[in-house]
Amino acid sequence: MSIDPTDPPGGTPVDAATLLAEAEGATALVCSLRGAAIRDLLVPDAARLDDRRRAGVRTLIRAIIGTIGADIHDFAVRRLTGVDEAALAALARVEARHLIPAIEARLGADEAVAGDLIDRVTLDLLGQAFPTGLVDPVAEPWHGRAAERAADALRQAESRRRIPPDQPPYATDLPAESHAAFTWWIAAAIAAAARPALTDTAAALDRALADGAIHALALADEGERLEAAAMRLAAVADLRGAAMVPATDHCLAERRAVLLAAIVAHAAAIAFDGVRALMTEPADPRLWLLLRSLDLPREAIARIGFALCEADHRRDVERFADLLDAAMAVPVADAALATAALRLPGAFRDARASGVTTR
């Protein structure tokens, strides 16, 4: 079996049995594709992923499948070797490309996991596109042993994030919830792809894959994630108000978008993904009110806004200028009140939005 997402797109040659099997499922496939095309037709242009983000998300999905799938597959092979040759033969016929449709279908039904992937890729791309020369180079504005250790850990995490996306550290740098979801989805997809070749031995294959998923989860360490490392540094630095300006300027000059989000999130007492969502969604004006609530100087907010406009073609710099004027006209206390809901736990906000009521 090949679980490597870098395999040639063509994969192994199609034999007669494979052709017949694909023909049997063709009706369902055509209906699914037609339904997807209709849904795509109805999506507003503002909600569409551009080519760069779409390519980035799909590359990440393939890398996740290849990385986690290889761990699960290798464990299952070791478990079944010398025990069930039929199951081993079935596993050998499963390729990464067979799993992609099933995983993408799961993502379509899980907005939280899919949204996390999209926001992660979008913020990474924004950081790469921050304009040069907007601010002069600024040294890291944190000092002390604790800050130095946190900064070193962050630099290591940033280095791992820059590794090509077909290599494991990039693909497994996921929140615990997303990592667990992908692990079980991939194990189930491998089982579904292999099961048609089996009869009485499917239970042994399922057990081996389930144990492989448990083993893969045990190897995961969320503490090594880039976002977690950035939040740790932001907590150690604990910058507020005007003291944040050197730090935000440093992030803009060095294109450290994740650290910028973390610094704002810590100062505002908001979860990292809440600030990330504001930075990656141009239609949401609350970012400017949030920055205003932190009592940042107008010039600092302007630099952040201009950098985002330059990095994200969906943003309009003239509209940002109008929003900045409006935000600066709002008293700091009123801006804090207007963004208070962002400081609530995400699960609570979701429950409120879903219309949970009492009699």
Side-chain angles (χ1 to χ4, degrees):
M1 186 204 82
S2 175
I3 275 292
D4 187 348
T6 62
D7 281 347
T12 56
V14 177
D15 56 19
T18 301
L19 176 60
L20 291 173
E22 291 181 355
E24 184 178 350
T27 299
L29 174 62
V30 169
C31 289
S32 175
L33 292 175
R34 184 178 293 117
I38 293 172
R39 290 191 297 273
D40 182 71
L41 177 66
L42 301 177
V43 174
D45 288 342
R48 293 181 183 278
L49 291 177
D50 57 37
D51 291 342
R52 289 184 69 216
R53 291 193 297 154
R54 185 183 300 275
V57 171
R58 284 185 166 164
T59 297
L60 180 54
I61 291 171
R62 290 195 301 271
I64 290 169
I65 292 172
T67 302
I68 298 177
D71 290 340
I72 296 172
H73 164 262
D74 292 348
F75 183 96
V77 166
R78 292 194 300 270
R79 178 63 59 86
L80 294 169
T81 297
V83 175
D84 194 325
E85 295 304 317
L88 282 174
L91 278 177
R93 286 190 285 271
V94 178
E95 299 181 14
R97 64 190 179 93
H98 299 150
L99 312 181
I100 292 174
I103 302 306
E104 289 184 342
R106 294 276 193 168
L107 279 172
D110 195 318
E111 183 176 339
V113 177
D116 179 75
L117 290 192
I118 292 171
D119 287 351
R120 166 182 160 172
V121 167
T122 302
L123 190 62
D124 285 349
L125 290 173
L126 289 178
Q128 295 169 19
F130 276 172
T132 58
L134 177 61
V135 293
D136 293 330
V138 179
E140 293 187 351
W142 26 80
H143 308 283
R145 287 188 176 183
E148 289 173 3
R149 287 195 297 269
D152 285 343
L154 176 59
R155 283 189 287 270
Q156 292 174 19
E158 288 172 330
S159 178
R160 286 192 296 272
R161 182 62 64 87
R162 288 192 293 268
I163 288 173
D166 59 350
Q167 297 185 29
Y170 181 97
T172 55
D173 195 18
L174 299 168
E177 297 81 1
S178 296
H179 194 283
F182 272 111
T183 300
W184 292 114
W185 294 346
I186 292 168
I190 295 173
R195 190 173 288 110
L198 300 174
T199 53
D200 299 333
T201 59
L205 174 67
D206 287 344
R207 182 69 265 170
L209 290 171
D211 289 345
I214 293 171
H215 182 261
L217 287 172
L219 298 177
D221 182 3
E222 190 181 29
E224 297 301 318
R225 293 182 60 235
L226 172 58
E227 292 80 1
M231 286 299 293
R232 281 198 300 274
L233 177 55
V236 171
D238 195 28
L239 302 172
R240 312 279 174 171
M244 294 174 59
V245 175
T248 58
D249 282 350
H250 166 80
C251 293
L252 296 177
E254 300 298 325
R255 296 178 171 177
R256 302 177 85 175
V258 173
L259 180 56
L260 175 62
I263 289 170
V264 173
H266 175 76
I270 295 176
F272 174 88
D273 56 358
V275 173
R276 182 180 63 182
L278 297 181
M279 291 176 62
T280 57
E281 180 44 72
D284 193 333
R286 291 176 296 175
L287 176 61
W288 318 121
L289 284 172
L290 182 65
L291 296 176
R292 174 61 175 153
S293 75
L294 299 177
D295 202 17
L296 281 173
R298 178 190 179 95
E299 294 77 11
I301 300 176
R303 287 191 290 272
I304 293 173
F306 182 75
L308 288 173
C309 289
E310 288 290 290
D312 190 342
H313 68 85
R314 298 171 298 163
R315 291 185 181 272
D316 183 277
V317 69
E318 293 183 0
R319 172 163 171 74
F320 164 65
D322 293 338
L323 290 171
L324 178 60
D325 288 339
M328 296 308 298
V330 177
V332 171
D334 291 347
L337 184 61
T339 55
L342 293 170
R343 296 172 173 83
L344 297 172
F348 180 63
R349 295 200 311 270
D350 292 343
R352 288 182 59 189
S354 67
V356 175
T357 59
T358 59
R359 293 183 181 180

